[in-house]
């Protein structure tokens, strides 16, 4: 039995760390380091959770001829169960390409092609047994009917789940234990006339779960229905790459929920995980450990 079940984006990420400043049109840039490693919101979070000592089963994106060997080799000695992933021999697998320079990164991929009219479905429906046997779940909001099915199975089997970037009027948000929302998504969901206080109220009033709104290097806000909005500053570290910062924060939330942390403890723990993640590159080869997180938090 795995402690955590995750359904969402699992892919191969080609990352390129530049030696100097970010790309400029028609100018040459030197690559300092490049890697092909597991990525995606679910893939990255699973890597971090395994490093924190959690057993995880992942499902979602179909894997293919290029991504499957990568995943199997990378996770062979880690507590990440790949058995529910569907292998498509006629598909390379979903991949993205990310150029990075310090605080700036530019991801590129073919994600929109997944949703074009007539496109073959490249993700799996969740398996009820996987959710029934886990302690808590995590659901990325990308896979339409599969996402809804995962949510409904969590509700049916009373499994609390963490999600990300869900609208305040969605069922995925309504039924969640935690929704981590990026500032980019709140800007997209709400017009310029909304203050953070108004956004916070709308988000918290439509769920009994914990709402966390992150803003990169700025203060994050969080709280629950009927509670005043709380703020927390992120940890200050030297940034090497922001790739995977949000996915690591999600992993920290999952760990906190699994270990019955208070809201304040959970947000601080997740923030510490994310801070360690951005202080190194590449993240999948150097995920935060529990000892490192406790050290940053000032714990023994």
């Amino acid at each position: 039995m795995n402690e955590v079940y995750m359904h969402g984006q699992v892919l191969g990420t080609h990352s390129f760390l530049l030696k100097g400043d970010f790309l400029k049109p028609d100018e040459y840039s030197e690559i300092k380091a490049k890697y092909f490693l597991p990525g995606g919101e679910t893939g990255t979070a699973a890597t971090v959770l395994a490093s924190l000592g959690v057993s995880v089963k992942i499902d979602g994106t179909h894997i293919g001829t290029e991504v499957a060997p990568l995943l199997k080799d990378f996770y062979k000695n880690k507590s990440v169960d790949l058995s529910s992933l569907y292998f498509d021999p006629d598909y390379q697998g979903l991949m993205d390409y990310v150029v990075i320079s310090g605080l700036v990164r530019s991801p590129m991929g073919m994600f929109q092609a997944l949703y074009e009219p007539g496109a073959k479905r490249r993700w799996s429906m969740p398996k009820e047994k996987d959710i029934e046997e886990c302690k808590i779940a995590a659901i990325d909001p990308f896979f339409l009917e599969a996402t809804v099915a995962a949510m409904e199975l969590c509700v049916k089997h009373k499994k609390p789940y963490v999600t990300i970037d869900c609208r305040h009027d969605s069922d995925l948000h309504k039924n969640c234990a935690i929704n981590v929302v990026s500032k980019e998504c709140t800007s997209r969901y709400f017009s310029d006339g909304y203050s953070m206080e108004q956004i916070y109220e709308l988000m918290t009033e439509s769920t009994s779960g914990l709402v966390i709104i992150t803003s990169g290097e700025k203060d994050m806000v969080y709280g629950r229905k009927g509670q005043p909005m709380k703020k927390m500053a992120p940890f200050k570290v030297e940034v090497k790459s922001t790739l995977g910062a949000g996915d690591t924060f999600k992993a920290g939330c999952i760990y906190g929920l699994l270990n019955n942390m208070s809201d304040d403890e959970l947000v601080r723990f997740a923030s510490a995980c994310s801070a360690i993640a951005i202080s190194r590159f590449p993240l999948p080869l150097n995920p935060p450990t529990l000892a490192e997180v406790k050290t940053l938090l000032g714990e023994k």
Side-chain angles (χ1 to χ4, degrees):
M1 177 177 176
N2 295 289
E3 295 170 288
V4 174
Y5 168 80
M6 305 181 72
H7 189 281
Q9 294 274 20
V10 183
L11 50 98
T13 292
H14 296 267
S15 58
F16 304 87
L17 182 66
L18 299 181
K19 190 173 182 178
D21 293 336
F22 198 69
L23 297 170
K24 295 180 181 178
D26 300 323
E27 289 190 12
Y28 173 79
S29 295
E30 186 78 7
I31 296 173
K32 183 177 181 180
K34 62 178 181 177
Y35 295 90
F36 180 43
L37 293 165
E41 285 84 348
T42 285
T44 302
T47 300
V48 174
L49 285 168
S51 180
L52 295 174
V54 178
S55 60
V56 187
K57 175 173 274 193
I58 59 177
D59 197 4
T61 317
H62 291 175
I63 57 176
T65 54
E66 291 195 28
V67 175
L70 168 71
L71 298 180
K72 290 176 182 178
D73 181 66
F74 183 84
Y75 290 117
K76 62 185 177 183
N77 296 317
K78 298 178 176 64
S79 57
V80 178
D81 185 343
L82 308 178
S83 61
S84 284
L85 291 170
Y86 174 75
F87 173 72
D88 185 344
D90 299 318
Y91 180 48
Q92 289 183 326
L94 190 61
M95 291 178 280
D96 65 356
Y97 303 81
V98 188
V99 180
I100 306 154
S101 178
L103 287 169
V104 183
R105 71 178 188 268
S106 182
M108 299 168 284
M110 299 179 67
F111 297 97
Q112 294 179 6
L114 295 174
Y115 308 101
E116 290 177 353
K120 183 178 179 180
R121 193 182 74 187
R122 297 294 189 183
W123 57 80
S124 299
M125 294 296 291
K127 301 167 184 64
E128 184 165 4
K129 185 178 180 182
D130 288 346
I131 293 176
E132 188 176 6
E133 292 181 346
C134 75
K135 292 182 179 178
I136 67 168
I139 308 171
D140 293 340
F142 308 124
F143 294 142
L144 307 175
E145 75 288 354
T147 298
V148 173
M151 175 203 69
E152 291 174 344
L153 287 170
C154 284
V155 172
K156 175 182 177 181
H157 294 288
K158 297 181 172 57
K159 304 294 182 178
Y161 66 85
V162 176
T163 190
I164 57 172
D165 290 339
C166 293
R167 287 179 55 91
H168 69 286
D169 53 359
S170 67
D171 287 338
L172 194 59
H173 172 72
K174 175 184 176 182
N175 293 299
C176 74
I178 302 172
N179 185 11
V180 184
V181 187
S182 64
K183 186 63 165 59
E184 291 78 12
C185 284
T186 58
S187 298
R188 186 166 68 244
Y189 296 156
F190 302 99
S191 66
D192 293 338
Y194 281 83
S195 66
M196 180 55 70
E197 288 76 15
Q198 290 172 314
I199 293 172
Y200 171 82
E201 184 174 357
L202 278 172
M203 295 295 295
T204 54
E205 282 300 311
S206 48
T207 181
S208 59
L210 173 64
V211 174
I212 307 170
I213 303 174
T214 62
S215 298
E217 72 276 12
K218 297 180 181 179
D219 288 358
M220 65 198 83
V221 303
Y222 66 98
R224 294 178 182 267
K225 181 188 297 186
Q227 295 180 352
M229 184 174 71
K230 294 183 177 181
K231 293 184 179 181
M232 185 178 294
F235 289 87
K236 301 297 183 183
V237 296
E238 182 179 352
V239 178
K240 287 191 176 180
S241 167
T242 58
L243 180 62
D247 307 331
T248 302
F249 189 95
K250 181 180 78 169
C253 291
I254 294 167
Y255 185 92
L257 181 62
L258 182 65
N259 288 276
N260 300 309
M261 292 183 184
S262 69
D263 291 350
D264 293 340
E265 291 171 332
L266 182 148
V267 174
R268 193 162 180 264
F269 183 90
S271 181
C273 290
S274 186
I276 293 170
I278 66 175
S279 70
R280 53 190 57 169
F281 177 85
L283 173 59
L285 297 182
N286 302 279
T289 65
L290 188 57
E292 289 173 329
V293 176
K294 287 184 175 181
T295 297
L296 185 57
L297 291 172
E299 301 175 1
K300 294 183 179 180

